[in-house]
Structures are given as C-alpha cells and as structure tokens.
C-alpha cells in the first residue's frame, strides 16, 4: 500500500511539474539577417531554460515557460564580440556580456512583446494579457499571435474590443520613416544606416513624453506627435504609456502558447530592412543557440499554421 501511495504521489508531482511548463513560445525569424531574441521574466517569476539565443534567417525555436509566466520577449540585432570578447548588440542589448540575458532587460530602443499568462488549464483559467509595445522605441518588426484554433484558422478580428485571441504587432519597417531626431544610426567604414527608432521619452527625457511628474497619469499624459507617428504605422501596438484602449489584448488561457515572429512581412526580407546588407558590421558567425536542437525544426503542420497566421496578420495589421 505504501508503494502504491508513493507511486501515485510521484505521478501527481510529475503532472504538476508538467502543468507548470504548459505554455510554449514559438519564436521565428523571417528577417533577412540574424536576430538574437532575449527573454526577461518579471520579478519573482522563474525564467525559462534559455534567456537568449541566436536565430538565423528562417529558423524557429520553441521555448517552454510556466503556465503562469509573465515577462517580455524582444529581438537584438547587429550583435557580436568586442575586442575583449564581450558579447554586445547595436540594438536591444541586455548588457549581460553574453548571448544569455540572464535576468537583464533590453536597452531601448527595442520592440517588445509583453505577456502575463493566466495559468492555463493547470492554473484555474482566466485570460492571458499580451501586447506589443513601442513605448521603449522600435528596432525591428514583430508579430504576436496566440496559437489557438481561432487565430490559426484566420479568425482574428479587426479590433481588440470585439473578440479575444487576436493577432497584434508592428509589421512595418519604421526605421525607414523614423524622424531624424529619433534615429539610432549604426555606421561602418562605408555606410550609415538607421538601426532603430527611439521613443520621444528616450530622445528628449521630458515629463510630457515620459508620462512622469505632472504628466504621470492618464488624464495628464496624452498622445503626442511622436506617439502618433508610431500609432499611425502600427495601430495595435502601444505608442505611449497610457495607450491601453487599443493596445492590450486578451486570450482565454489554455496553455497553448504564442507565436512570436520577427519581420513577418516579406518586405522586411529585402535589403532595405536589413542593416547588415548596407555594409554594417557582420553578425557573430560562430554563435550557437542555447536550447534543444530538435526544437529548431518545425513539424509540417506547425509550419502551415505559422504561415497562415502570418498571412492573416499582414492583411489585418497593415491598415
């Protein structure tokens, strides 16, 4: 009898352990250049098995997190080793000195995907909350889509108030149209190119743009000409701190996870959207990703679903 109880206790422990790792982020790079995703868990939340890795063009990596995970995901670009061997990136650098971010966040400007997962079937249900934010600026296009049947079948609605589990993101290349005073320019010996676009808060540091001080509430911090630039190009993304009404999305938590896609639009594969194609420093060619090599290969069904999500999202988000 004691052995049976021990066995049942072990099964219960394993089921709880499995439930704690019930959500999967399927992170894909459709850019024409290498992207180094970074992952930061919120305070008090356990990190996934990897917090930073390299994705070559066309690669995908599945990362498992706890069903009640919360945190952010972003992409780093123009990364390599400096003369001392320290790993750094021109945009989105997390300052760890290594590929793994290890509890450090993105230096602005960086396009951010933010998540608060409700716990799925193992955590009592409820809604996940997610968004794509340009509050800290922009460095590359990004799409986020729940891996739910409604979205996978192209069922995204036109506005976040009318249904749940919708696609969001910023699929436009804002580096091409970034105002001169917000531009982050990366230069090589031969060329200069815009590698990222700052937020007005980052560029000027005033209370009006940072929603701080006398402007530290929704009633006193309104949209500005700069936030309207971001919002006009990417209507579903956060453009400033209190841009909640059209920028926060929900999905009934079921533990399925989310697709995170860098450069989902085909135009992003052209040289105009690729800072490496205009003579900027090459990426660190000997970089190895961290994680399970098998997870870099998608099944045929997963690939078909991902392509359907991207196709649906491009038509939905490019208003």
């Amino acid at each position: 009898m004691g052995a049976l109880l021990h066995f049942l206790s072990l099964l219960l422990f394993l089921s709880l352990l499995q439930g704690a790792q019930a959500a999967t982020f399927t992170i894909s790079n459709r850019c024409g250049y290498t992207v180094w995703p970074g992952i930061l868990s919120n305070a008090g939340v356990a990190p996934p098995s990897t917090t930073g890795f390299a994705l070559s063009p066309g690669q995908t990596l599945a990362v498992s997190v706890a069903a009640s995970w919360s945190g952010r995901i972003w992409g780093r670009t123009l990364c390599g080793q400096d003369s001392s061997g320290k790993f750094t990136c021109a945009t989105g650098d997390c300052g760890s000195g290594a590929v793994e971010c290890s509890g450090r966040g993105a230096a602005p400007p960086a396009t951010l995907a933010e998540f608060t997962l409700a716990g799925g079937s193992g955590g009592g249900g409820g809604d996940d909350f997610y968004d794509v934010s340009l509050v800290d600026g922009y460095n590359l296009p990004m799409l986020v889509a729940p891996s739910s049947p409604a979205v996978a079948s192209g069922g995204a609605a036109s506005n976040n108030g009318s249904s749940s589990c919708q696609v969001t993101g910023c699929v436009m290349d804002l580096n091409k149209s970034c105002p001169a005073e917000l531009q982050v320019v990366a230069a090589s010996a031969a060329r200069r190119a815009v590698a990222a676009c700052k937020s007005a808060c980052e560029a000027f540091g005033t209370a009006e743009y940072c929603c701080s001080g006398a402007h530290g509430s929704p009633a006193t911090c309104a949209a500005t000409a700069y936030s309207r630039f971001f919002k006009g190009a990417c209507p579903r993304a956060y453009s400033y701190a209190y841009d909640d009404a059209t920028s926060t999305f929900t999905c009934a938590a079921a533990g399925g996870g989310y697709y995170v896609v860098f450069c989902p639009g085909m135009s992003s594969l052209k040289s105009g959207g690729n800072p490496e194609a205009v003579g900027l420093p090459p990426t660190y060619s000997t970089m190895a990703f961290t994680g399970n090599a098998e997870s870099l290969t998608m099944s045929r069904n997963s690939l078909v679903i991902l392509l359907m999500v991207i196709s649906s999202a491009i038509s939905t988000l490019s208003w």
Side-chain angles (χ1 to χ4, degrees):
M1 185 68 177
L4 178 59
L5 288 175
H6 177 75
F7 177 70
L8 292 175
S9 298
L10 179 61
L11 287 180
L12 177 61
F13 171 77
L14 292 175
S15 66
L16 291 174
L17 183 63
Q18 183 178 11
Q21 293 290 333
T24 299
F25 289 108
T26 303
I27 305 173
S28 298
N29 178 19
R30 290 177 57 83
C31 302
Y33 48 92
T34 302
V35 173
W36 283 262
I39 303 176
L40 175 66
S41 300
N42 287 346
V45 177
S49 60
T50 179
T51 59
F53 50 93
L55 284 182
S56 298
Q59 279 192 321
T60 293
L61 181 66
V63 178
S64 294
V65 298
S68 56
W69 184 82
S70 60
R72 52 182 52 181
I73 298 173
W74 70 98
R76 297 168 286 174
T77 65
L78 293 170
C79 301
Q81 286 181 313
D82 62 19
S83 58
S84 66
K86 180 181 177 181
F87 179 81
T88 61
C89 301
T91 77
D93 188 49
C94 58
S96 67
V99 181
E100 294 280 346
C101 285
S102 303
R104 300 187 181 217
T111 312
L112 303 176
E114 301 175 315
F115 300 89
T116 299
L117 307 185
S121 58
D127 284 344
D128 294 343
F129 287 82
Y130 59 98
D131 65 80
V132 169
S133 175
L134 307 180
V135 174
D136 288 344
Y138 167 99
N139 67 331
L140 79 173
M142 180 189 289
L143 175 149
V144 170
S147 54
S148 67
V151 172
S153 62
S158 60
N159 203 334
N160 76 326
S162 57
S163 69
S164 62
C165 300
Q166 295 182 51
V167 175
T168 187
C170 182
V171 301
M172 306 298 290
D173 184 359
L174 299 188
N175 291 335
K176 293 181 179 179
S177 55
C178 182
E181 59 270 31
L182 303 184
Q183 292 178 2
V184 174
V185 178
S188 69
R191 296 289 299 274
R192 291 166 57 87
V194 178
C197 190
K198 295 179 183 178
S199 67
C201 176
E202 175 72 10
F204 308 118
T206 64
E208 174 190 4
Y209 294 126
C210 296
C211 293
S212 60
H215 297 269
S217 71
T220 58
C221 191
T224 67
Y226 292 109
S227 68
R228 286 191 288 269
F229 158 73
F230 289 109
K231 197 67 173 180
C234 301
R236 295 192 177 191
Y238 264 91
S239 60
Y240 72 104
Y242 296 114
D243 188 17
D244 301 272
T246 59
S247 308
T248 300
F249 295 81
T250 63
C251 189
Y258 292 81
Y259 296 108
V260 177
V261 185
F262 299 112
C263 303
M266 291 305 294
S267 61
S268 298
L269 297 177
K270 299 177 182 178
S271 61
N274 180 354
E276 294 172 19
V278 292
L280 295 179
T283 56
Y284 181 29
S285 59
T286 59
M287 189 61 61
F289 69 90
T290 302
N292 184 353
E294 294 179 357
S295 62
L296 278 172
T297 303
M298 297 186 73
S299 69
R300 179 177 299 179
N301 289 341
S302 297
L303 180 59
V304 169
I305 291 173
L306 178 58
L307 291 176
M308 289 172 62
V309 168
I310 293 173
S311 176
S312 173
I314 294 301
S315 60
T316 300
L317 296 178
S318 302
W319 302 339

